[in-house]
Every structure is written in structure tokens, then in C-alpha cells.
Amino acid sequence: MSLIVNGKQVHGPADPRVSLLDHLREDLHLTGTKKGCNQGACGACTVLVDGERILSCLALAVQYDGRAITTIEGLAGGDALHPLQAAFVEHDGFQCGYCTPGQICSAIGMASELERGVPSHVSADLAADAQWTREEIQERMSGNLCRCGAHNGIVDAIRATFATEASA
Amino acid sequence: MTPFDYARPIDAADALRRGAIAGTAYLGGGTNLVDLMRETVARPERLVDVSGLPAAIEETEDGGLLIAAAVRNTALAEHRIVRARYPLLSRAILAGASAQIRNMATVGGNLLQRTRCTYFYDTEGSRCNKRQPGSGCDAREGFNRIHAVLGGSDACVATHPSDMCVALAALDATVHVDGPAGPRTIPFADFHRLPGDRPDRDTNLELGDLVTAVALPPLPAGTRSTYRKVRDRASYAFALVSVATTLELEGDRIKQVRIAFGGVAHKPWRAMRAEAALLDRPATHQAFLDAAAAEFVDARPLRDNAFKPALASRTLAAVLEELAMGDAA
């Protein structure tokens, strides 16, 4: 089996027990993706699969044969930060930084969900287009914990990056 | 994690052939099973990955929906027909887990997820009849704030953790199953079990059975429905109690009502007594509270969860009142 990680084709693990998270970190040495709880409760291991955010700790790598994985290492263009990375710096979206790769991958996945109209738990009208409000962003990012408490800065960074002037 | 063989079947027939061997587990999105395997609560020798089987959502001739088991939770919650006709189902799914998990988790896997009782997970230090039949239950006299108040047994007081399943119980869904005995359908109320003296069995599935789809009957025009979840934090937490309900009024009287509770029992709890108490009665706050009281009259709270009958009753009354007024979200 093989995976496409940040645009590069790589081998999958020989042992089906290996999680996507461990394969990224231990075999491919892409240590940007973090192992927090390793049980699906913290979001630090969030990566994008074909553009959708998932938890790599609960994913067996073997299940993702042929899929395109994007990690935090795949977002910047050389030394040029992804606009959301720059916004996290600008808006103090982190202190220790451990949850940050997961936060950023999660927010990119969230932006495409919101743009295609996926409702959330706090959407008052299931039929209406979702808005880039703080409440919507907070709910949609609730799967990513930050023990430093930088959540307000994270929401600011996400709004600054993705919210259009019409809905900001 | 104990070693296992992994196979990806080419179709459902191939999956069934592979799944008929003892020691085999079907793998959906993995959001529960992979965790249980890592904790060695589950130790399958073979995994048959059914997450890549067709994942269609189709309208049926009777005006309902047929949802393939491999449909992801997000895909179901965002489907335009589900949002328009079955808002309680969209709301239930969106109230569960996190967006990342909903992107991974399948409908079939959601039905088969296991309890979050901490004693069930604690392989090193706790007795649990669900994990190890006959070993005892440390929850009954332990920390049991999240546990059952209805339908429990001496052997087990675990609760079913799903939000989506509470909505499916209220919707009178049908589970489509295929297996060694051939294809069959199971009414949703008969899919999950009460613990009795076999809490190791969560469902009435037999060895090799594969959930292939869930069918929703149409709701009568004019039916209002929603899902309300009460939890310890505003998001990303399991329910303390939850309510899924549909309501159809004729004037100010209740023509049809269906109610299911989550977080109170070993399975999504269809509140037949409360429904019977409300049928053809005026839709008043007091009638809603009386109906809830009828449902919880046999409740057997444990040390830490005596709040649940009152919390569930108030939640039901609030939700029905909002639906009757036409302003529930």
C-alpha cells in the first residue's frame, strides 16, 4: 500500500496496527503532527485527508491506501507561511504551540465544511447558509483543545483568514 | 493492540464471506473500535474494513430514505433531505463527537459503538460484566453519574453513548442486516438490547451479521421534530440526558408524538408510556411533565445519577413546548 503525503508518494506501514499518526511521526519523521491523548479526545493529531479533517490517532494507516494526506508540513510554501499560520502569529493563537498544528489543519478543514454549507450544533436554521460568527467557529473547533487557553486568539486568527467582508 | 489480519473486501458479498469467521470484526471509521483495540478491550484476530463499501443516501418509493451503512456521519447530517425532513437526525448527529470524528465515523459504526462506562475501559483495575462476562460490575457501587436509571440489571448499568441512535429510535427506523442467515430487517427498537444477564451483547446481531443500511419511514407532513442534548460542557461531550422527539398537532391537541431518551439506559430509550399519556391530549406544559413522570416512575437511580429523571423530564417538557409553539431550533 502507499499514501500520498504532502504531495509525495510514500510507502504505508507493514503492520496494520500502525496508526496514521504513528506512521507520519515514527516512519516518515513528520513530527509536526502531535500525539496528545492518542484516544480521540484532544484533536492535536488532526490532519487533512483529501481535504477533510480527521484524527490520525484513531486512523489505521492501512485504511488510507492511495489517499492524499496533508500535514502541517505541507501547508507552508518554503519559508512563506500559510496565511492561517501567519494569522496565528499575528493574533496570539498559541502559547506552547503543541496543539497548533492540529488547530491549523482542523481550521482549514472547517473552512471548507462551512463554505459548502455543513450546519453545526449551534446553527439556528439547518436550511440557511452558516455564518462566520464566533459562536459557529467555537462550536466547529471544539474538537481541538488548547490547554494554554489561546482559544480566543485562535478564533480571531480563523476569522481574520477566512471570514469574507460580507459575513465578518 | 494485539496482532490482527486486515482485509478490504471488494463488495458486500466478499465482506460477508470474510466476516463469517469467528474472531472477525467489521471496521467502519475506526473511531471507537481502534480505541477499544488499543486499550485491549477488543481483540479481534481479523478486521474486515467495510468503510469503503458504497455510501449512498437514496429516497425510497414510500417517501422515506435508505441510508447505506458506510455513509459518514457528516454526510448524513449535511444531506439536504435530512436537514429538511428529519431535522432531529441532523441535530442529533451534529450534537455528537467532534467534526473530525463525524468525518470518519460511519452510520453502521455509530449503531455499534460501545458504552463509555469507565469501568468497561479499565482493563487493568476494574471488574466489568460487559467486557469480561461474570467478573462483576464496579460501576453499580462506584462512580456512576453517567450510568443508567432505566432498564439496568444487577449485571450492568451502562448507557449507550450514541446521539444519532436516539433520533433513529424516535423515527421508527429499520436496520437492514445481511449475514450467514441471509438478509433481514430489524426494527430499531429491537436492534439494541437491555443488559439482563448478558451485558456483553449490546445488540441482537449474530456472528457474521453486517449492518448494510438504515431505512427511515416518511414523517407525516406538518410533523415538527428536534433533538436536545444536555451535557457537562457546551460541546464535545457525551450526553447526561438527551431527548429526540417528533410532534404532530391537530389544533391544540396532540395527534402523534414520538419520544426517545438518550443517556438513561443501555439502549436508546423509546418512551412508549410518555407517548401514550400524551396522545390526543392538549399540548400543555403540565401534560408534558405528567407524561415524563409516567415514563420515569420505574426509574432506579444509583448513588450519583439521581438527577437524571428530573433533568430528562424537564428537558422533554421544554422541547415539546418549543415544538408546540413552533419555535424549536
Side-chain angles (χ1 to χ4, degrees), chain B:
Chain B
M1 218 181 277
T2 51
F4 58 85
D5 291 327
Y6 170 90
R8 188 178 312 170
I10 53 167
D11 56 21
D14 187 23
L16 289 170
R17 267 195 304 278
R18 295 170 182 275
I21 304 162
T24 306
Y26 294 115
L27 175 67
T31 56
N32 190 208
L33 183 56
V34 169
D35 191 35
L36 290 168
M37 288 167 63
R38 190 172 282 142
E39 299 295 332
T40 69
V41 175
R43 283 168 294 185
E45 293 160 35
R46 280 169 294 280
L47 286 185
V48 176
D49 181 355
V50 292
S51 67
L53 293 182
I57 301 173
E58 297 167 295
E59 287 189 83
T60 53
E61 281 181 10
D62 67 352
L65 275 189
L66 186 67
I67 304 153
V71 169
R72 296 311 205 263
N73 283 198
T74 300
L76 185 55
E78 74 170 297
H79 193 273
R80 62 181 175 81
I81 293 177
V82 178
R83 286 155 70 175
R85 298 188 204 159
Y86 305 97
L88 78 171
L89 181 56
S90 270
R91 294 230 173 260
I93 294 168
L94 295 170
S98 67
Q100 291 97 313
I101 291 173
R102 294 192 295 270
N103 283 343
M104 303 170 76
T106 63
V107 167
N110 193 317
L111 263 59
L112 295 173
Q113 65 178 309
R114 310 211 66 192
T115 185
R116 263 56 175 197
C117 172
T118 46
Y119 301 100
F120 173 68
Y121 269 80
D122 181 18
T123 53
E124 298 292 320
S126 298
R127 299 176 301 163
C128 172
N129 289 318
K130 185 180 282 298
R131 171 169 38 81
Q132 177 100 46
S135 64
C137 171
D138 279 337
R140 188 161 257 294
E141 305 298 326
F143 294 100
N144 43 37
R145 186 165 176 271
I146 65 169
H147 289 74
V149 293
L150 291 170
S153 69
D154 288 343
C156 184
V157 288
T159 49
H160 194 263
S162 172
D163 294 291
M164 186 187 83
C165 288
V166 183
L168 294 179
L171 284 169
D172 282 326
T174 303
V175 184
H176 290 227
V177 173
D178 207 346
R184 66 188 193 281
T185 59
I186 304 175
F188 203 80
D190 300 329
F191 183 80
H192 295 100
R193 297 176 70 256
L194 289 178
D197 58 4
R198 288 296 306 276
D200 54 310
R201 295 195 61 192
D202 292 349
T203 72
N204 285 313
L205 293 181
E206 303 293 341
L207 171 70
D209 278 348
L210 174 67
V211 174
T212 56
V214 173
L216 304 183
L219 285 177
T223 300
R224 300 162 186 169
S225 78
T226 197
Y227 182 77
R228 185 70 44 84
K229 179 176 185 178
V230 184
R231 44 189 161 173
D232 280 329
R233 57 185 184 195
S235 187
Y236 203 14
F238 290 100
L240 292 169
V241 301
S242 68
V243 175
T245 183
T246 72
L247 180 69
E248 187 188 357
L249 295 177
E250 201 166 51
D252 67 343
R253 300 183 87 78
I254 296 169
K255 185 178 176 192
Q256 180 69 259
V257 61
R258 298 187 219 159
I259 301 162
F261 288 107
V264 299
H266 193 261
K267 59 188 280 187
W269 188 267
R270 184 66 184 267
M272 306 299 282
R273 286 184 188 175
E275 291 175 19
L278 287 170
L279 217 54
D280 209 29
R281 302 276 164 74
T284 66
H285 190 77
Q286 192 56 50
F288 302 148
L289 286 175
D290 291 346
E295 195 63 47
F296 286 97
V297 67
D298 291 336
R300 295 280 175 273
L302 304 161
R303 188 191 68 187
D304 300 329
N305 67 3
F307 66 91
K308 281 194 176 183
L311 182 59
S313 299
R314 288 199 302 272
T315 306
L316 175 66
V319 168
L320 284 175
E321 193 158 17
E322 288 171 31
L323 283 181
M325 310 263 289
D327 59 4

Side-chain angles (χ1 to χ4, degrees), chain A residues 55-75:
Chain A
L55 298 180
S56 61
C57 77
L58 294 181
L60 297 175
V62 69
Q63 282 199 280
Y64 291 84
D65 189 10
R67 308 284 294 276
I69 318 293
T70 304
T71 69
I72 191 73
E73 290 92 341
L75 292 178

Side-chain angles (χ1 to χ4, degrees), chain A residues 9-33:
Chain A
Q9 187 155 348
V10 297
H11 287 295
D15 189 328
R17 289 178 290 181
V18 176
S19 69
L20 181 57
L21 173 61
D22 283 343
H23 187 57
L24 291 170
R25 289 181 55 85
E26 308 298 331
D27 299 334
L28 304 177
H29 308 294
L30 293 169
T31 53
T33 306

Side-chain angles (χ1 to χ4, degrees), chain A residues 6 24 32-34 43-49 51-56 69-76 82 84-85 88 99-113 140-141 144 154 158 162, chain B residues 99-100 103:
Chain A
N6 299 331
L24 291 170
T33 306
K34 294 296 186 267
C45 68
T46 302
V47 298
L48 299 164
V49 176
E52 287 219 323
R53 51 181 169 164
I54 67 151
L55 298 180
S56 61
I69 318 293
T70 304
T71 69
I72 191 73
E73 290 92 341
L75 292 178
H82 183 282
L84 184 59
Q85 290 177 306
F88 264 63
C99 73
T100 310
Q103 299 277 4
I104 288 175
C105 287
S106 183
I108 290 170
M110 180 205 67
S112 65
E113 290 163 13
R140 289 164 191 266
M141 292 296 292
N144 292 81
I154 291 168
I158 292 170
F162 295 111
Chain B
Q100 291 97 313
N103 283 343

